[in-house]
């Protein structure tokens, strides 16, 4: 099941809710962090959340988690929102 949502620059984003894959947003279409809106440049780099596929700066995607619904057992970069949801889904305490 997927839910469409319009994102930065009017792009249509697909958020994976319960399937095993996530559609990543292409780098070219994003000029700022999805959360803090800080512009990307040589020093402020783009990072994909491995769970939702959105693009964030390092600060806004600094959390790491496993993603069992996607069969990812090693710790990967996720945004704060996905980290919180994953911790609840996995039954772990959130910091």
């Amino acid at each position: 099941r997927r839910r469409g949502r319009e994102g930065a620059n009017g792009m249509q984003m697909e958020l994976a809710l319960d399937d095993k894959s996530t559609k990543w947003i292409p780098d070219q279409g994003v000029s700022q962090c999805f959360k803090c809106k800080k512009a990307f440049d040589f020093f402020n780099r783009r990072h994909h959340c491995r769970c939702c596929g959105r693009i964030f700066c390092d600060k806004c995607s600094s959390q790491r988690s496993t993603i069992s619904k996607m069969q990812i057992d090693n710790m990967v970069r996720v945004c704060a929102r996905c980290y919180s949801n994953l911790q609840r889904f996995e039954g772990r305490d959130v910091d």
Side-chain angles (χ1 to χ4, degrees):
R1 192 175 80 161
R2 291 187 182 269
R3 176 178 21 170
R5 188 177 284 182
E6 189 157 318
N9 303 328
M11 292 178 58
Q12 186 68 22
M13 298 184 307
E14 292 185 17
L15 307 178
L17 297 178
D18 56 5
D19 56 6
K20 294 187 184 198
S21 65
T22 296
K23 183 172 183 156
W24 280 23
I25 297 173
D27 288 352
Q28 319 74 292
V30 181
S31 61
Q32 63 186 14
C33 175
F34 185 83
K35 183 177 181 190
C36 72
K37 308 299 184 207
K38 186 174 178 183
F40 293 120
D41 58 26
F42 183 76
F43 298 103
N44 188 35
R45 309 282 305 266
R46 293 170 177 85
H47 300 280
H48 281 92
C49 170
R50 301 312 195 263
C51 187
C52 68
R54 295 181 191 136
I55 299 176
F56 298 89
C57 65
D58 183 61
K59 181 179 175 186
C60 294
S61 63
S62 63
Q63 302 288 341
R64 302 285 190 271
S65 181
T66 59
I67 308 174
S68 60
K69 71 176 186 167
M70 297 170 66
Q71 300 173 341
I72 299 176
D73 297 325
N74 54 322
M75 302 295 269
V76 293
R77 180 182 294 270
V78 294
C79 66
R81 179 179 172 197
C82 287
Y83 179 78
S84 178
N85 290 337
L86 287 165
Q87 298 310 296
R88 276 197 305 274
F89 180 75
E90 298 289 337
R92 299 181 207 138
D93 291 330
V94 179
D95 297 340

